[in-house]
Amino acid sequence: MSRAPWRSAWVLLGMLGGSGCATPARPVIQQAPAPPAPVEAEQARRTEARLAEHVDGEAPATLDEAAQDRDAFAQQALTALRDAGEQREIRYDSEHFLLELGTAEDARTLPLSDFFDEYLDASTPEQRTDVLRRLAHVRFSPSVPESFSMARPKLMPVVRGRAFFEKMWLLMGRDSPQQAPASFKAVGGHLAVGLALDSVDTLRYLGPEELGRWGVSFSQALAIAEDNLRQRSAGPLESLAPGTCQSPWNDTYGASRLVLDEVVRRCPVKGAPVVMVPHRDLLLITGAEDEDGLRLVGARALKAILTPRGVDGRALRRTPQGWVPFMPERLSEAWADFRKLELFTQARDYDEQLQQLEKHYTRTGEARFVATFTPYQDERGRSLSYAVWQKGLTTLLPRTEVIFFMDPSRGQGDRPVGIARWEDVVGRDNGLLEPVPGLYPERYLTRDFPTDAQLAGWQNDPGDLFDERAP
C-alpha cells in the first residue's frame, strides 16, 4: 500500500529562485476526492503546486492509488466486522474514509484513518491481524451512564493537539465551532485536554450534552478525571539521561500525564521543565537549560511524531503562570530538530483543516478558497512557511511567515507580483486581512488585494526573507 509523502520523508520545500526542495505537505492517503472547483480556484491550486517541486526519492502516491488503498483497507475492515459478529447494515463513506454501522437514523460512525496508518506500519501478518481485531472491537463504544456517579470512575483526561478537538465540529458536519461535540480547554496554546469515558479498546469523548445531563461543569469533571489518572501514575519515570525522562506506563495516557504536575516534577531537570507529547503514549521531559536533554527529546520526538496516533511535535515550558510554547535558542544544536517538528505539525494540522473546510464550504455553498500552508527549507538549512494569495479569490489564508501575492491578469506565469513577511501585511491597520473567528489553526479572510504601492513597499527578495541567525 502507498504511504503518504509527509510520513515517508522529511521533505520541506522550495520556491522562487531558491535551490531548496518543495512540496505542499499534504497527507495524500487521507485526502478524499474534492468536488469540481471554480476555474479560479483550480488555477490557484495549480499555482500552489507549481511553486513547489517535489524532490523526494520516493514518488508520492497518486490520488487514484491512495483511494484504491483506502478502499481495499475498508473492505478488510468490513470483513473483520462481519467475522466478529456484526449484524447491522454497514455503509462505506469513501469521501470521509469511515464506516457507518446501523440505520441512517441511529448510525454508529467508525473512522478508519488511524487504523489504516497502524496497518501500514505493521511489520508482520500478526500485527496487521491485531489492528483489524481492535478495529472490529472498537465499534462497542462505551455507553454513557445515566448518572454521574456511575460515570465518575471511568472519567479520564485526554491530552491531544488542540487542532484535534477544534476540528471536531467540521468532522461531524456541524454548522459552526459553537456546536463542537467535545468539551476541552487549551494547554500551552497548541495542546488541549478533553474528557473521555475509558474502556479497554476505545474512548468516548464527552461534551456539553453529557455534562449538562449530569449537572456537572467541565472543570469539576476534569478534576475528577485527573484524580483517576493520578491513581494510575505511581512509580518513577524512565530515565533517558541525567535530567531527561519519559513516561513508562504504555497505557495510551502518556501524553495526558502532562496535566499532572507531580508527575512532571519527578524528573530532576536543569532549569524550567520542558515537555513534548509527540505520541499519545509518550511524555518527554527535560530542562530548558539542558542542551544534551533538548537534543535527546528532539530526536526522539522526530521519530515518534511520524508513527500512528501522533499528537504534536511542539514543546512547552513550565512557568509560574502555566505552560507556554518553547523553542531552544537559535544557536542551540537542538534548534533544527525543534524547528522541523514545529513546521511538520503546523503543515499536518493545516492540511487536515483544509480538507474539512473544503467539504464544509462545498456543503454550505460559500465561495471560499482555502489556501495551503507550505513549509520551506533551503540547502543551507534555513526554513520558513508561506501561503499564496491570488487576486480575485476570497481566500482563507493560514498563518504563515511569508505571503506570495499572485495576479493572473498580469500574465507573469508563476512569478509573484509581490512577497511579504506576515507581520508587514497584518501589522498595519490596512484592512487586507480579517481573522476568522472560531478556527484553529488560525486563518485570515482576505479582503482587498494589496495596491501596487503596498506591494512595492514590501520585501520581494526571497533570500532576504530568512533569518540569517538560523544555522
Side-chain angles (χ1 to χ4, degrees):
M1 288 186 174
S2 304
R3 186 176 298 274
W6 59 269
R7 298 190 62 215
S8 63
W10 280 107
V11 179
L12 290 180
L13 264 142
M15 73 289 186
L16 283 173
S19 56
C21 54
T23 181
R26 307 194 60 176
V28 176
I29 289 297
Q30 297 183 9
Q31 183 174 348
V39 173
E40 294 83 359
E42 292 180 352
Q43 181 183 34
R45 196 65 79 199
R46 287 196 300 269
T47 298
E48 288 181 333
R50 285 195 296 268
L51 279 174
E53 179 183 4
H54 197 292
V55 296
D56 189 12
E58 176 186 351
T62 66
L63 291 181
D64 287 343
E65 291 171 343
Q68 290 172 7
D69 288 344
R70 289 196 306 269
D71 293 348
F73 179 77
Q75 184 58 49
Q76 288 180 289
L78 190 151
T79 300
L81 287 166
R82 291 299 187 208
D83 290 345
E86 178 59 58
Q87 299 296 319
R88 289 174 290 180
E89 178 185 356
I90 302 177
R91 295 177 301 282
Y92 172 45
D93 183 341
S94 60
E95 179 182 2
H96 297 91
F97 197 33
L98 57 81
L99 297 177
E100 292 184 341
L101 285 63
T103 63
E105 295 76 19
D106 189 28
R108 165 82 166 90
T109 299
L110 181 56
L112 298 176
S113 294
D114 284 337
F115 290 107
F116 182 55
D117 288 343
E118 289 188 48
Y119 191 90
L120 292 180
D121 271 18
S123 58
T124 67
E126 292 76 16
Q127 290 175 338
R128 289 190 285 273
T129 298
D130 184 64
V131 171
L132 293 170
R133 180 198 64 79
R134 288 187 287 107
L135 182 152
H137 187 75
V138 82
R139 72 190 192 276
F140 300 115
S141 178
S143 59
V144 179
E146 290 296 324
S147 67
F148 184 66
S149 61
M150 296 175 63
R152 184 179 185 125
K154 299 179 181 179
L155 288 178
M156 294 294 282
V158 181
V159 169
R160 298 288 185 265
R162 181 178 167 187
F164 172 85
F165 291 103
E166 294 274 9
K167 70 183 178 184
M168 279 191 176
W169 70 276
L170 290 166
L171 288 169
M172 300 296 291
R174 306 288 176 85
D175 293 328
S176 72
Q178 287 68 42
Q179 299 175 341
S183 299
F184 65 93
K185 72 171 184 178
V187 178
H190 53 255
L191 296 178
V193 58
L195 285 167
L197 287 175
D198 181 55
S199 69
V200 176
D201 286 317
T202 189
L203 298 173
R204 183 184 186 115
Y205 291 96
L206 302 173
E209 180 181 347
E210 293 84 4
L211 296 176
R213 187 190 314 161
W214 293 330
V216 297
S217 67
F218 174 80
S219 58
Q220 290 172 326
L222 180 61
I224 292 169
E226 290 175 355
D227 282 340
N228 290 342
L229 181 58
R230 192 170 285 114
Q231 295 174 23
R232 301 189 188 186
S233 304
L237 296 167
E238 179 182 345
S239 177
L240 300 176
T244 302
C245 313
Q246 70 177 16
S247 53
W249 291 278
N250 294 319
D251 60 357
T252 75
Y253 289 104
S256 300
R257 288 178 172 87
L258 167 67
V259 301
L260 303 180
D261 288 342
E262 67 273 21
V263 171
V264 176
R265 288 196 298 268
R266 291 175 198 168
C267 190
V269 300
K270 182 179 179 181
V274 170
V275 298
M276 303 181 81
V277 288
H279 186 269
R280 69 177 185 178
D281 215 13
L282 181 59
L283 170 63
L284 295 167
I285 308 170
T286 191
E289 300 175 14
D290 188 342
E291 179 70 15
D292 291 337
L294 292 173
R295 288 204 312 269
L296 180 55
V297 298
R300 285 183 174 256
L302 277 174
K303 295 180 180 179
I305 194 68
L306 291 175
T307 60
R309 316 286 181 174
V311 177
D312 197 288
R314 292 164 290 189
L316 298 177
R317 176 175 59 86
R318 187 68 177 175
T319 72
Q321 292 73 39
W323 293 106
V324 298
F326 172 80
M327 280 289 287
E329 295 292 332
R330 287 295 184 95
L331 296 179
S332 167
E333 293 183 13
W335 184 87
D337 283 349
F338 277 67
R339 176 62 167 165
K340 288 179 183 178
L341 287 159
E342 176 186 49
L343 287 175
F344 174 84
T345 305
Q346 289 177 314
R348 180 201 63 186
D349 289 351
Y350 268 118
D351 182 74
E352 292 175 355
Q353 181 197 60
L354 180 153
Q355 295 177 50
Q356 296 304 321
L357 283 173
E358 284 183 334
K359 296 171 186 174
H360 172 73
Y361 291 127
T362 297
R363 181 170 60 86
T364 62
E366 297 176 78
R368 298 285 188 269
F369 178 75
V370 187
T372 301
F373 176 101
T374 309
Y376 170 81
Q377 179 173 288
D378 72 359
E379 74 284 352
R380 293 171 54 186
R382 302 177 302 175
S383 58
L384 55 78
S385 61
Y386 75 85
V388 177
W389 180 351
Q390 177 166 301
K391 186 176 183 180
L393 282 178
T394 301
T395 300
L396 293 183
L397 285 179
R399 173 65 167 88
T400 57
E401 292 157 341
V402 174
I403 302 175
F404 282 37
F405 299 93
M406 310 294 292
D407 184 355
S409 66
R410 298 194 183 186
Q412 298 186 47
D414 296 333
R415 182 178 179 81
V417 296
I419 307 172
R421 293 182 182 274
W422 182 272
E423 56 268 23
D424 291 337
V425 179
V426 302
R428 297 172 175 82
D429 187 17
N430 52 29
L432 295 178
L433 295 173
E434 176 183 327
V436 180
L439 286 187
Y440 182 88
E442 62 188 292
R443 284 188 181 267
Y444 291 73
L445 184 66
T446 59
R447 312 302 293 184
D448 295 330
F449 196 76
T451 64
D452 289 345
Q454 288 173 317
L455 292 171
W458 292 329
Q459 178 59 258
N460 59 10
D461 181 352
D464 291 341
L465 295 170
F466 293 101
D467 187 335
E468 293 299 332
R469 293 175 300 163

